[in-house]
Amino acid sequence: MQAKGETFMLNQFQAYLVQRGYREFSINGNPSTAIDYAWRIAKVCEKENYTAKQLADNINTILEQYGDCGQKWTIGRRSHESYINALKQFRKFVLVQRFGGANA
């Protein structure tokens, strides 16, 4: 079970994605990209035994591991590269949280 702060950060990430045009739900009511990416970030945290804050602090290292030629590339490329794409968007979210600005 996620701690209150974890849920808050993942909810903020989901809201960030929605603000940038990602959809929460498809036309037929199924969860869409914003929900899926937040879920995938939670799964990476679980797999790495990280909190969302720890993932944010180590996002570049994690992106290397899950990206092309990384040790965890087979995970990163699953589901049409949804894991790596979620991690890339999470990095942008972290940069905006740390440094501000509309786009990072």
Side-chain angles (χ1 to χ4, degrees), residues 10 15 26 34 44 51 55 59 82 85 87 96 98:
L10 292 176
S26 64
V44 170
T51 64
L55 181 66
I59 190 63
S82 291
N85 290 330
L87 286 164
V96 167
R98 288 186 184 156

Side-chain angles (χ1 to χ4, degrees), residues 17-75:
L17 292 172
V18 170
Q19 288 173 346
R20 273 138 192 89
Y22 289 87
R23 297 182 66 145
E24 283 185 284
F25 297 97
S26 64
I27 292 172
N28 61 5
N30 291 326
S32 196
T33 308
I35 291 173
D36 181 63
Y37 280 9
W39 179 82
R40 290 183 194 279
I41 293 300
K43 286 297 181 187
V44 170
C45 287
E46 186 179 302
K47 180 160 187 54
E48 300 297 325
N49 199 25
Y50 277 175
T51 64
K53 169 84 171 83
Q54 289 170 319
L55 181 66
D57 291 343
N58 295 289
I59 190 63
N60 290 328
T61 302
I62 295 296
L63 266 169
E64 255 180 51
Q65 292 175 358
Y66 283 76
D68 291 342
C69 303
Q71 303 111 333
K72 298 177 183 176
W73 175 73
T74 57
I75 298 168

